[in-house]
Amino acid sequence: VRELSANAADAHVLNGNQKVPFDVKIPNKLDPQFYIRDYGPGLSEEGVMKLYTTYFESTKSNSNDFIGGLGLGSKSPFSYTDSFTVSAIHEGVKTVYSAFVNEDGMPQIVKLMDGSPTDEPSGLQIGFPVEPKDMRAFELEAQRILPWFNPEPNVLGASIKSLEAPTDVIGPLSIYQNIPVWTNNYYREHTTFVKMGHVIYPVSWESAGLDDTKDPALALIKNHSAGSIYIFDIYNIYISSILKKPKR
């Protein structure tokens, strides 16, 4: 859910479609299919073959406008399934492929349907069926991930609650801009995330070697009520650190 959504958002950056939401189909009992459909530029046959058969190959490494950069997100469905479908609409032609893992554990992709003319807008659709026992997990992960995207994706197959306004704000403090705080009953303890692009990643202050005496933000966070979620925007922290560097 996270990796394919990040790729969809990046695809929209490629052709200036950032204000257009991508589509996410959540699996359910009536339709077990999960897919994400973006409205980026799509991929030619050569582009599809290269992307889905090469690890650590990315076109995003030289720009900070993208979320991805390691070339792994496109293969993330392999963490759940042995094969998935890729529909590529590029320059008025739609081609359908099957991506799978070969006997040597390497990703492969074959064409299921030759390119045919289409009026569909360009983009990629990545999908696969989900086991009934896993459908709830996909829905919960979609609820955790998707509301942070801006614009929020079009969600089919389930109802996803949109992100509400923060219940509180900490800061500005040290190199940090205002730190938004949400209260969420799903979390029994303080939870901190770093936000990069549209994606939030959990972070452990203790693993980072920080405590109350080393970072004043942590002291404030510990004084907030349990069940609070804190979001540090990596871009805002970077900009603040530059602006507050001492002049020489």
Side-chain angles (χ1 to χ4, degrees):
V1 175
R2 183 189 71 192
E3 295 297 321
L4 294 182
S5 294
N7 276 3
D10 283 347
H12 285 206
V13 172
L14 282 172
N15 63 352
N17 245 4
Q18 292 96 320
K19 294 183 179 181
V20 176
F22 55 90
D23 301 334
V24 180
K25 165 62 176 59
I26 307 300
N28 55 50
K29 292 181 179 179
L30 295 178
D31 181 1
Q33 191 75 7
F34 166 76
Y35 69 76
I36 291 185
R37 206 290 196 190
D38 69 56
Y39 297 92
L43 285 171
S44 63
E45 181 173 344
E46 179 183 359
V48 168
M49 294 298 177
K50 183 177 182 181
L51 179 64
Y52 288 98
T53 59
T54 310
Y55 283 116
F56 302 108
E57 181 74 25
S58 177
T59 60
K60 309 174 188 178
S61 304
N62 297 321
S63 174
N64 286 328
D65 293 333
F66 302 108
I67 302 171
L70 295 177
L72 295 177
S74 58
K75 292 86 172 177
S76 61
F78 287 135
S79 65
Y80 179 78
T81 181
D82 291 333
S83 64
F84 58 93
T85 302
V86 178
S87 298
I89 302 97
H90 179 66
E91 295 182 352
V93 177
K94 180 176 182 178
T95 312
V96 181
Y97 305 84
S98 175
F100 62 95
V101 177
N102 65 18
E103 295 177 353
D104 297 323
M106 295 302 295
Q108 298 289 308
I109 191 161
V110 296
K111 192 185 299 184
L112 294 180
M113 185 186 81
D114 285 331
S116 57
T118 180
D119 294 330
E120 293 183 54
S122 295
L124 287 179
Q125 180 170 310
I126 316 299
F128 50 85
V130 171
E131 297 277 349
K133 63 181 179 63
D134 299 323
M135 290 177 180
R136 180 59 176 163
F138 271 77
E139 183 178 347
L140 290 174
E141 189 66 7
Q143 178 63 72
R144 190 177 77 86
I145 293 293
L146 298 181
W148 299 98
F149 282 81
N150 184 20
E152 192 172 332
N154 292 320
V155 179
L156 309 170
S159 296
I160 299 299
K161 187 178 180 180
S162 297
L163 187 67
E164 297 178 353
T167 54
D168 197 2
V169 174
I170 299 176
L173 181 69
S174 184
I175 66 168
Y176 307 114
Q177 296 281 1
N178 291 331
I179 305 165
V181 181
W182 282 266
T183 301
N184 189 317
N185 294 329
Y186 292 113
Y187 296 90
R188 295 182 179 179
E189 300 178 355
H190 301 298
T191 307
T192 307
F193 294 91
V194 169
K195 182 170 178 282
M196 186 179 74
H198 304 282
V199 182
I200 58 171
Y201 301 91
V203 64
S204 167
W205 289 83
E206 289 73 19
S207 298
L210 296 174
D211 57 36
D212 300 16
T213 62
K214 295 179 181 178
D215 197 302
L218 180 57
L220 285 177
I221 283 175
K222 286 191 172 181
N223 288 330
H224 269 256
S225 61
S228 296
I229 301 174
Y230 313 88
I231 307 295
F232 288 78
D233 191 304
I234 200 72
Y235 176 78
N236 286 340
I237 292 174
Y238 172 72
I239 294 299
S240 296
S241 65
I242 290 177
L243 294 177
K244 295 186 179 182
K245 279 185 178 179
K247 295 181 180 180
R248 295 187 179 182

